[in-house]
Amino acid sequence: MIFLHHASNRVARRTFWHRNDFAASVYRGRLMLRRWIVGMLLGTLLVAATSPWFVRSYVPRIQDPTRGVAVLQPGSDYRWRSEGYATTRIGPMGMPGRGTLEHDDPGGLRLALWGDSQAEGVCVKDREKIAAQVAGLSSNQIHVFPFARSGDDCNDWIAQIATLRNHDAVRVDAHVFLLVEWSDWTVEIADANEGLDPSRSKISATIPAFLIQAVRNIVTTGDATTRRRLRFRPGPVKSPALSSERGTSGGAIASTAERLSGQLERLRRQCDAPCIFVYAPLIPAIIDGETTFNDPDQWLFDHFRQLCSDHGLHVLDARDAMTAAARAGDWPRGFHNGQFGVGHYNATGNRIIAEQLLTIPVWLASGGRPVNNDPAKD
C-alpha cells in the first residue's frame, strides 16, 4: 500500500508539472506573438515616418489635353531619392519645377525644352534646374517651358509638338532639344505609345510610397523595369551571353545614320518654329576608375551637324564647357551622395546647359529661321 501510495504521488506530480509546462509554453508563445506584432507595427511606423528621407514618392498621372500625354499631377510635389535628394514642384501641363503659367505675355523669348530624365532634372532642386537658371542668367528675358519627361524619345517629342501647335495655351518661339544619348534620335519612326493606366494612378494616390517601393524591389531588378527572376529552383544560374558584336559595323553605322536622318526630316516637317539642339553627351565620364574626355561618337555628331545644317536646325555643343568644368574639379554629373562623373546632370551641368541657351537670341537675331522643306505647307 505504501508503494502504491508513493507511485500515485509521483504520477500526480508528473502530470501536474506537465500541465504547468504546457501552460507556460502557451503563455510564452502568446507573449512572443504579441511582441512580434507590436514590433512589426512599431517598425512599420518608424519606416513610414522616415521613408521621405530615403524613398522616392509616387505621384498620380493625369491626361493633359494640351500636350496629349500623361503627365504628373500638376500642383503635386515629386520627391526624388536616387542620386541627388531633391523635391520637384509639378507645374501646369506636368512641367517639373515651373510652378505657374503666365496668362499674360511676359515678353522675351519663350523656349520649349524637350528631353528625357536628364532635361527633366528631378535630381536637382527647382532653383537649380535648367529653366530656373536660364531665367536667372537672362534676367527673365528668356522663359523656358520644361516639357521633358523621363523615358521619352524623339517619337514622343515630335508628337507633342504637333499637338501643342494646335493649342493657344502656350506660345513657343523655338524648340530646344537636349541631346544626351543618340538612342533618343536613332529609334525607328513610330507613333508615341501613350496610355494612361488609371489603376497605377490610383495606387500612387492611395498606397504609401514605401510600400510601393518595397513591392517593386521584390518584383523588379535594380533598374525597376526588368522583372526579377527569383532563384527558388535547383541548379546553377545561367550567365547572360555576351554579344560579340560591337555595333560599329558598316551596316550598323549606315542604319543608325539613316534613322537619324529620317527623324530630323520628320521633325522639320512637323515643326514651324526654329529648332535648336544642345549636344551634351555623357562625357566627361569616370569608367572603371579611368576618366574619359573623348567623345566616342564624334563621327555621328559630325554627320548629325551636317544634317541639321541641311534642314535649317541649329546645334550648340556643350562638350568643351563640360570638360573645362570637370578639369577644374567641378563635375557636371554626379552628386555628393553618389559618384562623380556618373548618372544625371547636377546643378553644375544644368548651369552649363542653361548658359548654352543664352546664345539662342543672338542666333535668332542673326537670321536663324526654320527652313520649310515640306511642299504640303506651301
Side-chain angles (χ1 to χ4, degrees), residues 259-281:
R259 289 195 297 267
L260 179 60
S261 177
Q263 292 287 13
L264 292 179
E265 183 177 352
R266 177 170 168 244
L267 171 65
R268 186 65 280 156
R269 290 198 307 266
Q270 292 289 339
C271 188
D272 294 325
C275 295
I276 301 98
F277 288 87
V278 179
Y279 185 52

Side-chain angles (χ1 to χ4, degrees), residues 40-303:
M40 181 184 67
L41 293 177
L42 290 178
T44 302
L45 291 176
L46 179 62
V47 171
T50 59
S51 61
W53 296 343
F54 311 105
V55 181
R56 54 161 289 193
S57 61
Y58 289 86
V59 177
R61 294 179 181 270
I62 65 169
Q63 191 74 20
D64 183 75
T66 305
R67 298 174 61 179
V69 296
V71 299
L72 296 177
Q73 188 174 36
S76 59
D77 290 325
Y78 182 79
R79 186 179 65 244
W80 187 252
R81 292 296 182 264
S82 177
E83 298 179 74
Y85 281 23
T87 299
T88 293
R89 184 69 173 174
I90 305 301
M93 294 184 286
M95 292 186 291
R98 188 178 180 92
T100 60
L101 183 63
E102 297 87 352
H103 296 287
D104 298 329
D105 190 349
L109 184 66
R110 300 162 70 92
L111 305 176
L113 176 64
W114 305 95
D116 56 10
S117 59
Q118 296 284 1
E120 189 181 29
V122 294
C123 294
V124 298
K125 298 179 178 63
D126 287 351
R127 66 176 182 272
E128 297 173 341
K129 288 180 172 52
I130 296 173
Q133 297 213 44
V134 168
L137 293 172
S138 68
S139 299
N140 288 318
Q141 293 304 304
I142 303 178
H143 309 279
V144 175
F145 299 97
F147 291 134
R149 295 187 308 167
S150 177
D152 278 5
D153 57 35
C154 62
N155 287 325
D156 301 287
W157 307 325
I158 294 174
Q160 291 180 66
I161 287 174
T163 305
L164 280 175
R165 191 176 55 193
N166 299 325
H167 290 80
D168 296 329
V170 178
R171 178 181 64 81
V172 174
D173 297 317
H175 295 278
V176 178
F177 302 90
L178 180 61
L179 177 53
V180 179
E181 297 178 281
W182 289 108
S183 58
D184 291 335
W185 285 92
T186 57
V187 296
E188 295 286 350
I189 295 177
D191 294 331
N193 184 18
E194 282 295 334
L196 180 62
D197 188 349
S199 61
R200 290 191 175 185
S201 293
K202 187 176 181 180
I203 291 174
S204 300
T206 57
I207 299 179
F210 74 95
L211 292 179
I212 299 176
Q213 189 63 49
V215 173
R216 292 190 67 178
N217 289 342
I218 295 174
V219 176
T220 63
T221 57
D223 59 6
T225 57
T226 306
R227 190 174 183 83
R228 188 185 297 277
R229 298 182 61 186
L230 301 180
R231 293 186 55 190
F232 298 137
R233 62 185 187 275
V237 177
K238 184 178 180 181
S239 299
L242 297 177
S243 175
S244 60
E245 298 181 2
R246 297 182 59 87
T248 56
S249 62
I253 292 175
S255 177
T256 298
E258 182 179 357
R259 289 195 297 267
L260 179 60
S261 177
Q263 292 287 13
L264 292 179
E265 183 177 352
R266 177 170 168 244
L267 171 65
R268 186 65 280 156
R269 290 198 307 266
Q270 292 289 339
C271 188
D272 294 325
C275 295
I276 301 98
F277 288 87
V278 179
Y279 185 52
L282 299 178
I283 56 170
I286 300 176
I287 303 175
D288 295 332
E290 298 291 334
T291 304
T292 301
F293 291 97
N294 296 326
D295 187 359
D297 296 314
Q298 180 64 46
W299 66 273
L300 186 56
F301 174 70
D302 293 337
H303 179 68

Side-chain angles (χ1 to χ4, degrees), residues 24-40:
S25 177
V26 171
Y27 174 76
R28 287 194 299 269
R30 290 176 178 175
L31 181 61
M32 183 179 298
L33 180 61
R34 285 197 296 267
R35 289 176 176 175
W36 185 84
I37 294 175
V38 171
M40 181 184 67

